[in-house]
Amino acid sequence: MSEPLLQVDELDVRYGAVKAVRGLGFSLEPGEAVGLFGPNGAGKSTTLLAIMGAVRPRSGDIRFGGRSLVGMPIESIARLGIALVPEGRRIFAEFSVEENLRLGFLGRRSAEGLQDDLTWVYSLFPIMHDFGSRPAGQLSGGQQQQLAIARALVARPEILLLDEPTLGLAPTVVDSLFDALDEIRKTGVTILIVEQRVQLAFDFADRSLVMRNGEIAMTMSGNDQLDIDQVTAAYFGS
Amino acid sequence: MTTLFQSVADGVALGSLYALAALGIGLVFGVMRLINFAYGELITASAYALLLTKELHVGVRIALALAVAVVLSLMMEFVFRPLRRATPATMLVATFAISFLLQNVATLRFGTRGEAMNFLPALNRAFAIGGVRVRWITVVSIAVGAILLAATALFLDRTNIGLQMRAAASDFRTARLLGVNAKRVIIFAFALGGVLAAVVATMLAVQRPLATPTFGFMVVIPALVGVVVGGLDRLMPATLGGFVIGFATVILSDLLPSEGRVFLNSALFGLVIVVLLVKPNGLFIRGSTSVERL
């Protein structure tokens, strides 16, 4: 097996006295899709934010391509090739769709191939092209999520982190979103997805991790059958 | 009628200056959530630069006034840097401290009586339009204010760094997650604020020819009130608020009988209180304040 693209070791994150993540360790191999599940407060979003440098670990290490990310400014990590689609989309509602996408360009390591990437993103989400001049806040929830993903993709990331991308979306929209994610993974982008729709994300992922109380409670391979009882036990610790 | 026209012209001129100061304050507030009370000292520093360069060519004097304000503004950014994660109250007190420190340095060096800057006095001459006498500085202030406000709006709207500044003002963390360089946009905001402070100083230096330690402070207080009245959370309403305060100051001053002018500030701030009671989010903000600030 090749060297992990991302390696998280003994990661500890605290919010004051609250231990959000404790001794967390996992890795992402190049091109794989990994699901990260768990109940609210398990530390999933904190893990993604720690990878992006948005929360500072108390201890432990996060290495990307062999280089430690701990202590790096958020924007430097974004420019290394890791993009986050944050929970709640966090699009700039008063900016146009095109302006939101332009902000995504900032994460690119090189301007080379920008037009090709943009063409590909437009083919994946045609609405981004059709509604380019429209204020992003006027898009539907599903379209806003598409914009959040498109904005991350135009940065041409090596790793795409997705934090609950289907939250609040209608089932048909969710299906088309996962179709798009399938297309994205075919390009070789490594994906780490935090998701509450466990079955859907489990089917999508090569590997799945269940977190509870800031720790990995269970690891599942994509070849496994999803055992709901086992996952429920991992979720609630019973 | 002629008096009304004259009042409106003077009101627009003073409003333009307060609007520029409000814009400078609003730019820094947008990216740092910092109300910089020491902004007035940038204006004062520019005024002293004009004072100390009396013998030089007017172009050089303006360039030096600009340089002093920009450099001092960047020095302030450097001082505030360790406080970026501090509470808003801590940052506010720090700006008060810097403001009073700089005022006292100016007092020690130049005294409190004020010294004449002798900057473009010819612009105080008036010309007549249909019986109304308008000073050239009134026209220049309106023109410079309009051009700078439009240029800043274009800069924010059309340039990449402008887009990044707007994004940082709207949602700082998300902007950084996308790769917006926090340090760069903050430095830009302070530098631009410095440029605007210098422009305000040069316009004011014509009308109020004495450089004093509180030269800029006396502008920043009403400009800050304007920012709050307009809507602290968004740049253009805040700028408009600055304009309204300047305009209202002149109109109220003309409306009040001469013996009542000592109550000008009382009348103005009374009006501000009424406005804030009716529109607590700001005169030009609709609905909630959780919106883009630039």
Side-chain angles (χ1 to χ4, degrees):
Chain A
M1 191 173 268
S2 57
E3 188 188 334
L5 185 60
L6 186 92
Q7 180 76 48
V8 177
D9 278 321
E10 295 291 322
L11 189 71
D12 258 57
V13 182
R14 291 188 189 184
Y15 297 118
V18 178
K19 293 178 180 177
V21 172
R22 350 169 170 212
L24 184 72
F26 69 92
S27 61
L28 298 179
E29 303 299 330
E32 78 170 337
V34 174
L36 190 57
F37 313 131
N40 287 337
K44 311 179 297 292
S45 296
T46 300
T47 302
L48 299 192
L49 291 173
I51 294 169
M52 292 304 300
V55 294
R56 289 196 175 231
R58 189 180 174 87
S59 61
D61 199 8
I62 301 165
R63 303 185 78 78
F64 172 62
R67 180 178 180 181
S68 177
L69 303 181
V70 175
M72 262 195 198
I74 304 174
E75 53 267 41
S76 301
I77 295 173
R79 286 164 189 251
L80 277 178
I82 306 178
L84 171 70
V85 179
E87 186 180 359
R89 300 154 202 152
R90 314 297 295 183
I91 56 156
F92 294 95
E94 294 195 4
F95 294 13
S96 69
V97 169
E98 188 252 331
E99 283 179 323
N100 271 277
L101 289 177
R102 267 171 57 202
L103 284 166
F105 297 165
L106 294 170
R108 292 180 73 89
R109 283 152 291 170
S110 148
E112 201 181 318
L114 172 62
Q115 200 50 51
D116 290 343
D117 292 345
L118 208 49
T119 306
W120 173 64
V121 166
Y122 286 154
S123 71
L124 203 59
F125 304 119
I127 212 87
M128 298 304 116
H129 182 262
D130 301 343
F131 291 169
S133 58
R134 191 172 286 195
Q138 287 182 9
L139 300 180
S140 69
Q143 290 166 345
Q144 288 186 12
Q145 190 57 266
Q146 289 182 9
L147 174 57
I149 296 172
R151 188 178 63 180
L153 289 177
V154 292
R156 201 175 195 173
E158 279 188 71
I159 299 180
L160 181 64
L161 309 173
L162 297 128
D163 197 354
E164 307 217 13
T166 69
L167 196 71
L169 301 183
T172 50
V173 180
V174 171
D175 288 343
S176 64
L177 200 64
F178 269 91
D179 289 344
L181 291 179
D182 268 326
E183 290 300 314
I184 294 165
R185 80 189 294 187
K186 282 180 195 163
T187 65
V189 176
T190 303
I191 296 175
L192 177 61
I193 179 170
V194 167
E195 186 50 67
Q196 292 292 0
R197 295 173 198 256
V198 175
Q199 181 71 63
L200 209 53
F202 177 83
D203 292 343
F204 167 76
D206 299 310
R207 196 156 53 90
S208 296
L209 312 168
V210 179
M211 281 184 79
R212 188 182 70 244
N213 294 333
E215 298 168 311
I216 300 284
M218 183 182 176
T219 304
M220 296 174 284
S221 149
N223 299 324
D224 296 340
Q225 282 290 319
L226 183 65
D227 184 335
I228 288 296
D229 291 337
Q230 229 182 339
V231 172
T232 307
Y235 255 64
F236 301 110
S238 56
Chain B
M1 190 65 191
T2 54
T3 313
L4 178 69
F5 183 82
Q6 207 143 8
S7 297
V8 169
D10 289 343
V12 172
L14 189 64
S16 301
L17 291 187
Y18 285 2
L20 289 178
L23 182 58
I25 294 165
L27 277 168
V28 170
F29 179 79
V31 294
M32 270 193 80
R33 285 291 173 271
L34 169 78
I35 297 175
N36 186 7
F37 266 93
Y39 190 78
E41 279 53 61
L42 300 178
I43 298 171
T44 306
S46 277
Y48 280 118
L50 292 174
L51 174 72
L52 294 173
T53 55
K54 266 196 279 195
E55 311 304 321
L56 301 179
H57 184 271
V58 67
V60 178
R61 294 178 74 186
I62 293 172
L64 285 172
L66 265 171
V68 164
V70 170
V71 168
L72 186 59
S73 190
L74 292 176
M75 285 166 71
M76 282 184 189
E77 187 278 324
F78 185 75
V79 171
F80 293 140
R81 206 174 281 178
L83 298 174
R84 271 185 212 162
R85 288 194 178 84
T87 63
T90 306
M91 290 205 289
L92 192 65
V93 170
T95 71
F96 267 124
I98 290 176
S99 172
F100 289 122
L101 172 73
L102 291 176
Q103 279 182 42
N104 283 296
V105 168
T107 303
L108 282 172
R109 171 69 179 78
F110 299 101
T112 53
R113 285 197 310 172
E115 292 182 50
M117 288 175 274
N118 194 25
F119 181 67
L120 294 174
L123 287 178
N124 278 316
R125 288 196 201 122
F127 63 97
I129 319 176
V132 181
R133 293 188 64 75
V134 181
R135 288 186 304 156
W136 281 105
I137 186 61
T138 305
V139 178
V140 171
S141 295
I142 294 170
V144 168
I147 290 168
L148 267 181
L149 290 173
T152 309
L154 272 176
F155 167 79
L156 292 171
D157 197 50
R158 301 284 164 84
T159 65
N160 263 331
I161 184 70
L163 176 65
Q164 291 177 46
M165 285 173 74
R166 285 191 290 139
S170 178
D171 182 343
F172 202 66
R173 187 164 83 170
T174 302
R176 291 187 73 194
L177 285 167
L178 293 170
V180 169
N181 186 325
K183 199 188 284 182
R184 190 157 164 250
V185 293
I186 289 172
I187 286 174
F188 250 92
F190 271 90
L192 205 52
V195 169
L196 294 169
V199 172
V200 172
T202 50
M203 297 292 113
L204 271 181
V206 177
Q207 303 167 63
R208 303 175 189 175
L210 291 184
T212 63
T214 55
F215 184 83
F217 190 73
M218 304 311 283
V219 178
V220 158
I221 296 302
L224 266 173
V225 171
V227 166
V228 174
V229 166
L232 184 61
D233 233 19
R234 293 183 65 165
L235 192 61
M236 283 310 158
T239 306
L240 206 52
F243 177 84
V244 166
I245 289 293
F247 188 78
T249 303
V250 174
I251 300 297
L252 270 178
S253 162
D254 287 348
L255 286 178
L256 287 170
S258 53
E259 66 274 17
R261 285 198 185 141
V262 287
F263 299 112
L264 174 64
N265 282 340
S266 310
L268 188 68
F269 287 112
L271 203 63
V272 166
I273 290 169
V274 172
V275 166
L276 290 178
L277 284 174
V278 178
K279 298 271 292 178
N281 289 338
L283 200 54
F284 307 112
I285 298 276
R286 274 188 232 162
S288 118
T289 54
S290 57
V291 287
E292 184 201 350
R293 286 176 296 277
L294 275 177

